[in-house]
Amino acid sequence: MYALKMSGVSFVYEGAEGHALDDISVSIDEGEFVTVLGANGAGKTTLAMLSNGLIPHAIKGTLEGSVKVFGYDISKHTVAQLSTLVGMVFQEPESQLFCMSVEEEVAFGPENLAIPRDELFKRVEWALDLVGLKGLNERSPATLSGGQKQRLAIAAALAMRPKMLVLDEPAYALDPVGRIELYALLRSLTEKHGMAVLLMDRDSENILEFSDKVVLMNSGRILTVAPPSEILRDIRNFRAIRVPPPQIFEIASLLNSRLTGVDFSFTTLDEAEAELLSRVPSLPRRGDTR
């Protein structure tokens, strides 16, 4: 079963003239990590809100096509019903944090589903441990760092025990180290817990190495759906969606354009090291005493 399947989906916001999404067809398997890359205005947020029923139930407009989440048609099921299947995390964690303590924040969703007290406590502890916030139960969310707030928002979504997590540019305000830690956490959800992850992003620098599949979007349309290795074969993919490519990939492309008779294909620093050493064996390694 697909975690998410969109077929021929188009959407126009109420009062708007142009399409936010135009004839979108894409699918996500259970346990798959999929990243949607695109600049502002590409349609990423609209796609995210379709995946949990916010569109069309809470946000009005004209929707065409079919959207199914684990086989359920979003147009026939409420946001509350879909919340047990799909957890949503927004770009600004403050927009979804409103309780007085970390524990209350994580417990809020399942508590509203009348989950028994013992099970509720287990869910809170499990979610906080999973995101690295164990022991901060009594802290006020307002005292947390930006990265911790984002992890708390993820924990609150995980406490609902969803089968898919959808995140709309969650790393936007994080530093490079915080971004990598967040992506690694999301990757662990797919590998250890079989959860599907749908991530909206406009930064290609680190995310490609964690993704199973990448969707390139521009102006409400999907341009390409492919594994990261295929996306990285052609720098024009990034120009088409107005997103800078990973720096190491850009270096490889620049070397290929300036040097004759070479075809560098590295996309990570480790690959760059291995390829350069294979071409120039005499290059010294760090710590080499020669």
Side-chain angles (χ1 to χ4, degrees):
M1 181 185 295
Y2 292 115
L4 175 68
K5 185 173 179 62
M6 296 186 177
S7 303
V9 174
S10 296
F11 183 73
V12 180
Y13 285 99
E14 191 172 63
E17 295 182 1
H19 283 78
L21 295 178
D22 188 3
D23 195 23
I24 295 290
S25 293
V26 67
S27 63
I28 298 171
D29 293 333
E30 292 189 64
E32 190 174 34
F33 191 137
V34 176
T35 296
V36 180
L37 276 180
N40 285 341
K44 303 188 303 296
T45 297
T46 305
L47 193 154
M49 291 190 294
L50 270 169
S51 67
N52 74 338
L54 283 174
I55 296 174
H57 298 295
I59 299 170
K60 301 303 180 182
T62 302
L63 175 62
E64 299 176 357
S66 169
V67 181
K68 292 185 177 181
V69 178
F70 296 97
Y72 293 92
D73 189 329
I74 64 157
S75 65
K76 299 177 181 177
H77 295 80
T78 66
V79 176
Q81 290 170 327
L82 295 171
S83 68
T84 60
L85 296 171
V86 183
M88 185 80 174
V89 179
F90 297 97
Q91 183 183 107
E92 299 291 343
E94 288 86 353
S95 67
Q96 59 188 113
L97 302 179
F98 49 86
C99 292
M100 298 300 292
S101 73
V102 165
E103 183 175 290
E104 290 173 340
E105 195 70 58
V106 180
F108 182 82
E111 196 167 31
N112 278 275
L113 295 179
I115 299 297
R117 195 71 187 170
D118 289 347
E119 173 63 18
L120 181 64
F121 177 76
K122 290 178 182 178
R123 287 195 186 195
V124 170
E125 292 302 306
W126 172 78
L128 289 177
D129 185 40
L130 203 59
V131 302
L133 295 181
K134 188 175 182 179
L136 301 184
N137 302 49
E138 303 305 318
R139 285 273 297 273
S140 166
T143 67
L144 301 179
S145 67
Q148 288 175 323
K149 287 178 180 177
Q150 197 58 275
R151 287 172 175 265
L152 176 56
I154 292 173
L158 291 176
M160 297 292 285
R161 294 290 173 94
K163 298 172 72 175
M164 178 169 70
L165 195 62
V166 178
L167 307 100
D168 188 13
E169 297 194 30
Y172 175 66
L174 302 182
D175 59 32
V177 173
R179 286 172 181 266
I180 294 175
E181 290 176 346
L182 174 62
Y183 298 149
L185 166 62
L186 297 177
R187 184 69 211 180
S188 73
L189 295 178
T190 64
E191 294 180 344
K192 297 179 181 178
H193 302 280
M195 192 177 298
V197 170
L198 176 59
L199 175 70
M200 313 298 162
D201 216 321
R202 51 177 146 156
D203 178 17
S204 67
E205 192 57 51
N206 303 113
I207 189 56
L208 295 182
E209 65 183 280
F210 295 96
S211 306
D212 296 311
K213 188 164 66 183
V214 180
V215 179
L216 302 185
M217 285 192 71
N218 186 45
S219 300
R221 294 187 175 186
I222 290 179
L223 304 183
T224 306
V225 180
S229 58
E230 292 186 21
I231 296 295
L232 287 167
R233 286 177 184 171
D234 194 340
I235 200 168
R236 290 174 295 182
N237 285 326
F238 298 93
R239 293 173 184 153
I241 62 171
R242 296 176 291 125
V243 169
Q247 290 183 0
I248 194 70
F249 176 55
E250 195 163 19
I251 289 171
S253 297
L254 287 171
L255 286 173
N256 290 338
S257 67
R258 295 189 178 197
L259 300 176
T260 302
V262 299
D263 183 21
F264 289 109
S265 59
F266 51 79
T267 57
T268 68
L269 188 57
D270 287 342
E271 288 178 2
E273 179 185 20
E275 192 163 343
L276 287 170
L277 287 172
S278 69
R279 293 172 184 270
V280 189
S282 60
L283 280 175
R285 293 179 171 85
R286 183 178 293 277
D288 200 329
T289 57
R290 288 179 299 171

